[in-house]
Amino acid sequence: MTQINIGIIGSGGMARHHLARFAPMETAAVAAIASRNAQTGTQLAKAHETPFIADWHRLVECEDIDGVVICTHNDSHGEIVLAALQADKHVFVEYPLASDVSEGETALELAEKRGRVLRVSHPEAVSNTHKALKQKIGELGDLLLASFVRLTPGRGARPEILFNLPVSGAPAHFFIYHIYPIVDFFGDAASVKKNAVYEGLRENGQYDRFVNTLTVEFERGGIGQWTWAGGIAINAAEEHERYVLTEGTISDAGGEWHCTTPAGVTPLSIPDSPQPTLQELWIAEIRDAIHQPPCFADASVALAAVRISLASGA
Ligand SMILES: NC(=O)c1ccc[n+]([C@@H]2O[C@H](COP(=O)([O-])OP(=O)(O)OC[C@H]3O[C@@H](n4cnc5c(N)ncnc54)[C@H](OP(=O)(O)O)[C@@H]3O)[C@@H](O)[C@H]2O)c1
């Protein structure tokens, strides 16, 4: 079986996460790792017995690399995605797809034109829960309100990255993985309104505490609302999610999904069917791309999510 040669860009948490999944696959081989961080980059390359390349531009140009896995910070995703596609590589990029809408649009156009697979690392593509929610939403009529709230106490393991506007964008952009699933359910937004408050905001774009809200009107009707608050006085992160539809509601209470209709409250039934990993899915898509044009449905949703997250501004 011919292996797909992949190059990893970045040598932090997500690079390690993806490497751990690609390394045991018989259909993929890690051909090089690039990072601006020579220390963690060389360590990771040594651990995977693969060459370290300091400059990601050189990795992207390597002729024997078929696909590029982008695990850098948000501010460089778009540039690296475009360079990789221009070099005719397949792309797997950590979310967000880009931090500039036109970069994201160009990426989709390039991928389509060149027949390259463009997958953004949104896990819903392989999630039974997401599929069950999508089906149930389809059974409960029209959307009235989709509401998502996340409260987070600390500033994470690397606060200089998360609470940092130039590197990660506004919280809505950093937390785009809360926007993607709702856009996958309800489609594009016709309008977006935002509010953002940053406490302790410094000249370099770092801050201590935030509240960021987004309200959209979906083109198909219904309202979507997201609230993120961070650096606040709670012990552990909390999330609340609710879909209010004309025939009933679906809500996430303490990690369990329930549907409420005039007939009563029932737990959402989630099938236990085996799913590939995202990494396996991407490699399978690359192999399929030899015979048929790739599908860009997920990448289009990722781009629609970027349009909303960037409308949150900084
Ligand atoms: N899918 C998920 O579940 C998930 C979870 C968390 C994060 N993410 C996303 O994954 C991405 C990476 O997050 P992480 O937690 O892995 O961050 P991280 O641990 O800080 O690692 C980022 C790595 O990329 C390197 N890097 C950053 N910008 C670069 C550039 N322009 N050129 C070359 N190398 C660069 C960093 O070098 P330095 O060491 O020099 O900074 C570091 O090695 C972020 O976009 C984040 O939003 C996804």
Side-chain angles (χ1 to χ4, degrees), residues 17 19 34 36 49 52 62 71 76 97 101 142 149 155 171 174 207 209 221 223 259-260 267 283 292 304:
H17 170 89
L19 273 163
R36 69 180 177 193
E49 296 175 343
F52 172 69
C62 281
C71 311
S76 51
L97 166 62
V101 171
D142 295 330
V149 177
R155 299 177 67 217
F174 186 87
Y207 51 92
R209 213 170 264 126
I223 302 284
C259 310
T260 305
I283 294 294
Q292 63 198 43

Side-chain angles (χ1 to χ4, degrees), residues 106-126:
T106 308
L108 251 88
E109 283 162 19
L110 260 180
E112 202 161 355
K113 196 164 133 198
R114 294 177 181 240
R116 302 292 100 176
V117 178
L118 172 59
R119 177 154 289 284
V120 186
S121 169
H122 288 290
E124 283 72 21
V126 294

Side-chain angles (χ1 to χ4, degrees), residues 11-14 35-37 72-74 76-77 94-95 158:
S11 51
M14 292 318 293
S35 179
R36 69 180 177 193
N37 189 324
T72 58
H73 298 138
N74 295 1
S76 51
H77 291 186
E94 260 312 328
Y95 49 67
R158 295 193 70 184

Side-chain angles (χ1 to χ4, degrees), residues 9-18 34-38 40-41 54-56 70-77 79-80 92-96 121-123 158 160-161 167-168 173-177 278:
I9 304 182
S11 51
M14 292 318 293
R16 287 195 299 275
H17 170 89
H18 292 307
S35 179
R36 69 180 177 193
N37 189 324
T40 56
D55 182 357
W56 64 260
I70 301 165
C71 311
T72 58
H73 298 138
N74 295 1
D75 55 351
S76 51
H77 291 186
E79 181 192 2
I80 304 177
F92 181 107
V93 57
E94 260 312 328
Y95 49 67
S121 169
H122 288 290
R158 295 193 70 184
E160 73 282 9
I161 305 301
V167 173
S168 291
H173 194 53
F174 186 87
F175 287 118
I176 193 166
Y177 54 97
L278 269 184

Side-chain angles (χ1 to χ4, degrees), residues 38-301:
Q39 194 191 344
T40 56
T42 45
Q43 269 170 9
L44 206 55
K46 202 171 160 198
H48 287 271
E49 296 175 343
T50 197
F52 172 69
I53 301 175
D55 182 357
W56 64 260
H57 296 88
R58 279 196 41 232
L59 181 145
V60 157
E61 296 296 335
C62 281
E63 281 192 3
D64 59 347
I65 286 182
D66 307 300
V68 174
V69 180
I70 301 165
C71 311
T72 58
H73 298 138
N74 295 1
D75 55 351
S76 51
H77 291 186
E79 181 192 2
I80 304 177
V81 166
L82 291 183
L85 289 169
Q86 269 149 3
D88 266 335
K89 307 303 184 203
H90 301 282
V91 169
F92 181 107
V93 57
E94 260 312 328
Y95 49 67
L97 166 62
S99 294
D100 176 290
V101 171
S102 68
E103 273 183 345
E105 287 169 348
T106 308
L108 251 88
E109 283 162 19
L110 260 180
E112 202 161 355
K113 196 164 133 198
R114 294 177 181 240
R116 302 292 100 176
V117 178
L118 172 59
R119 177 154 289 284
V120 186
S121 169
H122 288 290
E124 283 72 21
V126 294
S127 158
N128 282 326
T129 302
H130 184 75
K131 285 177 187 143
L133 278 169
K134 198 167 185 174
Q135 185 176 340
K136 185 50 88 176
I137 283 168
E139 293 167 8
L140 289 179
D142 295 330
L143 176 72
L144 297 171
L145 175 67
S147 163
F148 178 90
V149 177
R150 180 182 166 95
L151 312 177
T152 174
R155 299 177 67 217
R158 295 193 70 184
E160 73 282 9
I161 305 301
L162 167 55
F163 285 32
N164 186 325
L165 294 172
V167 173
S168 291
H173 194 53
F174 186 87
F175 287 118
I176 193 166
Y177 54 97
H178 300 140
I179 299 177
Y180 174 98
I182 296 179
V183 173
D184 190 44
F185 296 147
F186 304 112
D188 290 342
S191 68
V192 186
K193 289 184 190 149
K194 60 119 180 177
N195 283 97
V197 173
Y198 300 101
E199 275 187 21
L201 182 59
R202 301 180 268 292
E203 263 184 22
N204 63 7
Q206 292 186 24
Y207 51 92
D208 299 322
R209 213 170 264 126
F210 69 87
V211 179
N212 193 178
T213 68
L214 280 185
T215 303
V216 306
E217 271 185 61
F218 289 104
E219 282 178 1
R220 64 177 252 182
I223 302 284
Q225 284 182 330
W226 292 263
T227 300
W228 297 271
I232 57 171
I234 51 172
N235 183 40
E238 291 175 19
E239 285 184 13
H240 312 269
E241 197 166 346
R242 188 179 293 264
Y243 300 100
V244 183
L245 300 127
T246 48
E247 310 295 326
T249 69
I250 308 172
S251 54
D252 177 7
E256 286 196 12
W257 287 97
H258 287 89
C259 310
T260 305
T261 66
V265 181
T266 49
L268 178 73
S269 157
I270 299 169
D272 198 13
S273 46
Q275 294 285 336
T277 64
L278 269 184
Q279 295 79 5
E280 288 167 345
L281 179 63
W282 181 59
I283 294 294
E285 289 174 315
I286 293 174
R287 296 169 77 87
D288 289 348
I290 297 165
H291 311 291
Q292 63 198 43
C295 168
F296 297 103
D298 281 321
S300 301
V301 176

